[in-house]
Amino acid sequence: MSDHSGSLSTGLAPCHECARRRHCLGGLLCDDGVTDAQPNPGVHRSVLPKGQHLHRYGDRAETVAVIRSGALKTYVVSPEGEEQIRAFQLANDIAGLEAICSDTYRGSAKALSRTWVCRLPIAAVRARMLESPVFRDRLLATFGRELDRLHGMLHRERCSADQRVAAFLVAQLPADGDDVELPMSRVDLGRYLDLATETVSRVFTRLQERHVLRSEGARCRVLDRAALSAIA
Amino acid sequence: MSDHSGSLSTGLAPCHECARRRHCLGGLLCDDGVTDAQPNPGVHRSVLPKGQHLHRYGDRAETVAVIRSGALKTYVVSPEGEEQIRAFQLANDIAGLEAICSDTYRGSAKALSRTWVCRLPIAAVRARMLESPVFRDRLLATFGRELDRLHGMLHRERCSADQRVAAFLVAQLPADGDDVELPMSRVDLGRYLDLATETVSRVFTRLQERHVLRSEGARCRVLDRAALSAIA
DNA sequence: CGCGGATTTGACATAGTTCAATTCGAGTGG
DNA sequence: CCACTCGAATTGAACTATGTCAAATCCGCG
């Protein structure tokens, strides 16, 4: 069961008044510019303090969440008690997508820092798929990206530690600027990339020795973008 | 471009006359028992000789295929020229599911043996999603299973060679009987499980020494089901 | 200032890869 | 029916990237 005791629901989110409505799944849920739709089919905004769960593995799936700001990790714990991280969700990412396909969540989603999310009720999402081709396509595209991401992860598991870390950093690089903010710990990074924490650490050290990167904990500056891409 | 020169189209498939229509996505495409639907929205049956491609990476996505019998492998070739196998498709499996999300195929699908398939036109599939909640749910469930499979593969990459092979064999075990027919070569198995061919071979040898398995090439008999499950 | 967790560094162990050599086995042709 | 062939599979030996364990250091925070 999820513990929402600390999560602050800020009430119904007026998607049609939201600045992001043009780019957000929530906006499309309310209005795709073609068909009529309810002004707000139950979208809620809430804020999660660091460490709190959005949902846990096995919980009844009721909403899919769009991240407004902050960061989550989605993970499962193996029978042996090892935590495996399946994804990090940053701003504009979607958490709990499997809720659309499954009646329970297939992973636990936990805030890495104070995180704002909008929750879209599954029932509304499923209903909207029947009404709106635009919405259906948007959702299908999201699934397609998720499949691609997973295939990419599978590919990356076949690469060296340096390649995995480099590829991850390249993926995090913003279009403008060379600064990467890493909201997750080295431990979590290792659990995501399937590397021992020590190995992650050694890769960072190696990248700094080669002047590809300068890293001060969570803050990270890419000094040689080309070199980093070449490694990945 | 796909080379279909050797593929024999046996014409429109009368899904409503097919013995499998109750269990097959094609059957549901034509009739979900609730809404009216076209008698046949362009489903085709065809047969692929061993070695022939159903489609190749980058081809325009036009159909999703249900395997009637035989076997396919879906793979991609990395920039370095290495073949990575993303999935094997056996009877009743679906190949080219990404066609529903993407305008091109994201992997090449090739017959491992003579294979019969039914091709469902994407346009019809997408259209039917809007008409039929039953069909929509069926398709979403298929996506959910694919996500689960990929998560499972990611998990398996973190296990030992023995565990990977054992898990694969367990997955192939039929409900009745202990015989497993492996339509793929050891090389392909290695490319799927991310193991060197030699390692796959050594695992099989080890399993036979421990009397868990008896393997004669493609034919394979599980002698100790419990032991196999225990390894995985 | 000092505690406790996170990170880094070092030394060593090992599973799996790589390369090389052999054996097996399904087709094929005589 | 048997030899021949060629790719697939197996076996062996040595190597290596990464894991594991242990110790040292850093860092944020009360």
Side-chain angles (χ1 to χ4, degrees):
Chain A
M1 303 296 104
S2 283
D3 171 14
H4 292 149
S5 54
S7 84
L8 227 156
S9 173
T10 60
L12 287 183
C15 283
H16 55 286
E17 287 177 8
C18 176
R20 316 185 184 198
R21 70 184 174 287
R22 290 276 150 254
H23 312 288
C24 173
L25 193 65
L28 214 49
L29 184 62
C30 307
D31 172 22
D32 64 6
V34 176
T35 64
D36 292 329
Q38 297 170 28
N40 189 324
V43 177
H44 276 76
R45 281 193 197 149
S46 53
V47 52
L48 300 169
K50 173 172 177 172
Q52 181 153 69
H53 281 86
L54 177 64
H55 55 250
R56 290 178 197 261
Y57 178 91
D59 282 355
R60 176 146 297 278
E62 278 161 355
T63 62
V64 60
V66 179
I67 316 304
R68 285 177 67 79
S69 68
L72 299 176
K73 65 174 176 181
T74 295
Y75 65 95
V76 291
V77 178
S78 73
E80 301 80 46
E82 299 206 328
E83 178 179 304
Q84 181 188 351
I85 295 178
R86 293 194 163 168
F88 296 113
Q89 283 93 15
L90 309 180
N92 303 314
D93 287 342
I94 289 177
L97 187 66
E98 73 271 28
I100 297 168
C101 314
S102 165
D103 50 3
T104 58
Y105 292 107
R106 318 308 309 267
S108 302
K110 188 181 191 175
L112 295 173
S113 58
R114 175 160 275 251
T115 299
W116 281 259
V117 300
C118 291
R119 289 180 148 117
L120 323 186
I122 291 304
V125 170
R126 294 166 68 94
R128 194 99 180 97
M129 284 187 80
L130 292 170
E131 309 169 351
S132 162
V134 175
F135 186 79
R136 173 202 62 186
D137 289 351
R138 171 64 173 270
L139 210 50
L140 287 175
T142 304
F143 276 105
R145 273 194 304 280
E146 179 63 4
L147 292 177
D148 282 351
R149 189 186 69 85
L150 290 170
H151 286 139
M153 284 193 64
L154 277 166
H155 176 71
R156 196 172 46 201
E157 297 256 352
R158 309 185 173 199
C159 296
S160 71
D162 297 78
Q163 290 176 311
R164 285 184 229 184
V165 174
F168 180 80
L169 289 171
V170 168
Q172 305 307 309
L173 263 175
D176 57 327
D178 296 322
D179 284 315
V180 179
E181 188 71 35
L182 296 175
M184 70 292 290
S185 69
R186 298 295 145 98
V187 176
D188 281 347
L189 201 41
R191 286 174 181 169
Y192 178 64
L193 297 178
D194 189 22
L195 292 172
T197 314
E198 295 92 326
T199 305
V200 175
S201 185
R202 279 187 253 266
V203 173
F204 271 90
T205 305
R206 230 174 291 156
L207 289 174
Q208 293 192 82
E209 283 168 352
R210 293 167 58 185
H211 304 290
V212 175
L213 201 70
R214 198 157 42 77
S215 128
E216 300 131 0
R219 191 160 244 73
C220 204
R221 171 174 292 251
V222 176
L223 303 173
D224 190 343
R225 234 175 145 114
L228 195 65
S229 303
I231 294 169
Chain B
M1 300 295 103
S2 283
D3 172 13
H4 293 149
S5 55
S7 83
L8 227 155
S9 173
T10 59
L12 287 183
C15 283
H16 55 285
E17 288 177 8
C18 175
R20 318 184 183 198
R21 70 183 173 289
R22 290 277 152 253
H23 311 287
C24 174
L25 194 64
L28 215 49
L29 185 62
C30 307
D31 173 23
D32 65 6
V34 175
T35 64
D36 291 329
Q38 297 171 27
N40 189 323
V43 178
H44 277 77
R45 282 194 196 146
S46 52
V47 52
L48 299 169
K50 173 174 175 171
Q52 182 153 69
H53 281 86
L54 176 65
H55 55 250
R56 289 178 197 262
Y57 178 91
D59 282 356
R60 177 146 295 279
E62 278 161 355
T63 62
V64 60
V66 180
I67 316 303
R68 284 177 67 79
S69 68
L72 299 176
K73 64 173 176 182
T74 295
Y75 65 94
V76 290
V77 178
S78 73
E80 301 81 46
E82 299 205 330
E83 178 179 305
Q84 181 188 352
I85 294 178
R86 294 194 164 170
F88 296 112
Q89 283 93 15
L90 308 180
N92 303 315
D93 287 341
I94 287 177
L97 186 67
E98 72 271 29
I100 297 167
C101 315
S102 164
D103 49 2
T104 58
Y105 292 107
R106 318 309 308 267
S108 301
K110 188 180 189 175
L112 295 173
S113 59
R114 175 161 275 252
T115 299
W116 281 260
V117 301
C118 292
R119 289 179 149 117
L120 323 186
I122 291 304
V125 170
R126 294 166 68 93
R128 194 99 179 96
M129 285 188 80
L130 292 170
E131 308 170 351
S132 162
V134 176
F135 186 79
R136 173 202 62 185
D137 290 350
R138 171 66 173 269
L139 209 51
L140 286 175
T142 305
F143 276 105
R145 274 194 304 280
E146 179 64 5
L147 292 177
D148 282 350
R149 190 187 68 85
L150 290 169
H151 287 139
M153 285 193 63
L154 276 167
H155 177 71
R156 197 171 45 203
E157 297 257 353
R158 309 184 174 200
C159 297
S160 72
D162 297 79
Q163 291 176 310
R164 285 184 229 184
V165 173
F168 180 80
L169 288 172
V170 168
Q172 306 306 309
L173 263 175
D176 56 327
D178 295 322
D179 284 313
V180 179
E181 186 72 35
L182 297 174
M184 69 293 288
S185 68
R186 298 294 146 102
V187 176
D188 281 347
L189 200 41
R191 286 173 180 169
Y192 178 64
L193 297 177
D194 188 22
L195 293 173
T197 314
E198 294 92 327
T199 305
V200 176
S201 186
R202 280 186 252 265
V203 172
F204 271 90
T205 305
R206 232 173 289 156
L207 288 174
Q208 293 192 83
E209 283 167 351
R210 294 167 57 184
H211 305 288
V212 175
L213 202 70
R214 198 159 40 77
S215 130
E216 299 132 1
R219 191 160 244 73
C220 205
R221 173 174 290 250
V222 176
L223 303 174
D224 189 344
R225 235 175 145 114
L228 196 65
S229 302
I231 294 170

